[in-house]
Amino acid sequence: MASSRPGPNLSRIATALGVSVATVSNALSGKGRVSEQLAEKIREHAAELGYIPSQAGRALRTGRSGVLGLVLPDIANPLFPKIAQAIEFAAKSADYGVLIADSRGDVTAQTEAINRLIERGVDGMVVVPRRATRISASSCPVAVIDTASTPGNTVAADHWQGGQQIAAHLASLGHKRVLIIGNNPESNVQNDRAGGIRSGLTAGMSSETLWIEKLEQTSGSGCRLGLAKKAAEGFTAFAALSDLQALRALTELQQDGINVPTDVSVTGFDDLIWSPVVTPALTTARMDMDRIAEIAISALLKVIMESGTREGIIVTAETDRVPMQLIVRQSSGPVSPAKQNLTDGELLT
């Protein structure tokens, strides 16, 4: 009975080249004293044989698994696959793999996901937390991506600055009354975005905030937001705190015969994959996820390499926030002449 041939290993490479296994190991790991000419020869031969380094062997040699964990709050939200892709790319560039855990929006499930990743021996993890998630109890280094107002945050988009950009954009278009539309009043991210919008309003501008979760508690899931009434009251700008909420607002306004952007403007946050292709294309604030991931992974690996232990540390970074970029599209426009003058919540025509 024929047996399957074992894959190429260090011994086969060493025998083929007439060198020791230690020399091969040092050449492939970049450690030890091996001439560059011989090291290149070893690497070329390993590549020809299809040699794949053993993660188990690496763990035994270094005491590290070469794997990081990534804990997401809800991968069904189209924002989080973008985050996962950016983290995976940054980790791969540092020769690390990534295990992803999804809590599906549940705080208890997210805490359990953190524990499972620790049990599987990750060297560290990146956590996008749900509110009240217990991160400090982790027994490995953790990088937190949330917002600057989150205690222990490592790095994040500058959500407050993103809100200020939205406000400045609406001010430049002549809007006076802004309805801020958020989902979760307990979200640090959404509160920072809303705070940024309010702080960016210029003289003569005012805002109100509509929290969808609070409305749905009394009117039921998926209820109408009453935006046509708000437009009749004189609100000409609907500043949603995510593109998902912006799409809900845009859909409701159009169903009620309100033209966007001729009658009112709609803006969002996150620049999700469909934001440029909805009608009208959505004005939004975009996060630089590649830069955020790069900073988070770099800070995490620095602690992993320097500590030499599996301590539960919330890592810090020299740069803790990354500016957001305003993306202006067709869903925002100047206030129509009939709505230019606005006093005490009533339209003057």
Side-chain angles (χ1 to χ4, degrees):
M1 180 177 177
S3 61
S4 61
R5 185 179 182 183
N9 55 30
L10 298 183
S11 297
R12 287 180 59 194
I13 298 170
T15 299
L17 296 177
V19 298
S20 69
V21 170
T23 298
V24 173
S25 177
N26 288 337
L28 295 178
S29 66
K31 299 179 180 179
R33 300 182 63 179
V34 182
S35 70
E36 182 54 37
Q37 182 178 3
L38 177 56
E40 181 62 25
K41 185 177 181 181
I42 291 172
R43 287 193 292 267
E44 288 179 357
H45 192 67
E48 290 173 1
L49 291 176
Y51 171 74
I52 300 175
S54 166
Q55 289 298 326
R58 172 182 174 174
L60 287 172
R61 292 192 307 274
T62 65
R64 295 188 288 269
S65 65
V67 178
L68 302 176
L70 172 60
V71 183
L72 297 173
D74 185 5
I75 206 159
N77 183 318
L79 170 64
F80 295 122
K82 291 177 63 175
I83 295 177
Q85 185 179 53
I87 293 293
E88 195 279 335
F89 181 80
K92 183 179 180 181
S93 299
D95 198 28
Y96 267 75
V98 177
L99 289 177
I100 299 176
D102 174 27
S103 66
R104 301 188 180 186
D106 183 78
V107 173
T108 300
Q110 187 158 56
T111 302
E112 292 173 351
I114 290 172
N115 293 335
R116 286 198 305 272
L117 289 171
I118 293 172
E119 289 171 359
R120 294 180 182 180
V122 297
D123 294 330
M125 68 179 76
V126 178
V127 177
V128 182
R130 289 282 298 176
R131 191 172 178 84
T133 300
R134 293 185 62 194
I135 299 172
S136 59
S138 170
S139 61
C140 69
V142 176
V144 178
I145 299 178
D146 195 36
T147 190
S149 62
T150 297
N153 188 71
T154 303
V155 64
D158 193 338
H159 299 286
W160 190 279
Q161 170 261 350
Q164 290 178 322
Q165 286 196 84
I166 292 291
H169 174 63
L170 294 174
S172 72
L173 296 172
H175 293 279
K176 299 296 184 183
R177 299 195 71 191
V178 180
L179 183 69
I180 300 170
I181 304 173
N183 183 55
N184 179 7
E186 300 300 316
S187 165
N188 289 341
V189 168
Q190 293 201 23
N191 277 302
D192 279 5
R193 290 176 174 183
I197 292 173
R198 295 186 197 105
S199 73
L201 299 179
T202 58
M205 295 180 73
S206 63
S207 69
E208 290 183 14
T209 304
L210 185 158
W211 292 109
I212 295 175
E213 278 194 2
K214 288 185 176 180
L215 182 63
E216 290 185 334
Q217 286 173 5
T218 57
S219 301
S221 178
C223 67
R224 294 180 63 79
L225 305 180
L227 302 186
K229 180 181 178 182
K230 290 296 184 181
E233 292 173 0
F235 288 91
T236 60
F238 295 83
L241 301 180
S242 80
D243 286 357
L244 288 174
Q245 288 130 36
L247 178 61
R248 183 167 175 177
L250 183 63
T251 301
E252 182 173 317
L253 289 164
Q254 291 174 330
Q255 287 174 343
D256 287 336
I258 298 173
N259 186 276
V260 179
T262 303
D263 298 326
V264 300
S265 290
V266 175
T267 62
F269 277 85
D270 299 329
D271 194 25
L272 300 180
I273 190 170
W274 44 259
S275 298
V277 298
V278 297
T279 303
L282 188 62
T283 293
T284 188
R286 175 192 294 164
M287 293 189 286
D288 187 348
M289 275 314 310
D290 290 338
R291 179 62 179 148
I292 292 169
E294 178 186 322
I295 293 171
I297 294 298
S298 177
L300 186 59
L301 294 183
K302 181 180 180 182
V303 170
I304 292 171
M305 298 301 178
E306 291 179 353
S307 67
T309 66
R310 294 182 55 79
E311 297 176 356
I313 300 171
I314 306 297
V315 305
T316 59
E318 292 183 5
T319 301
D320 68 349
R321 66 198 75 186
V322 176
M324 299 190 80
Q325 178 186 4
L326 179 67
I327 309 297
V328 178
R329 299 194 179 102
Q330 289 72 46
S331 70
S332 58
V335 178
S336 64
K339 298 182 179 181
Q340 284 288 350
N341 298 315
L342 204 59
T343 303
D344 296 330
E346 295 182 352
L347 291 178
L348 302 180
T349 58

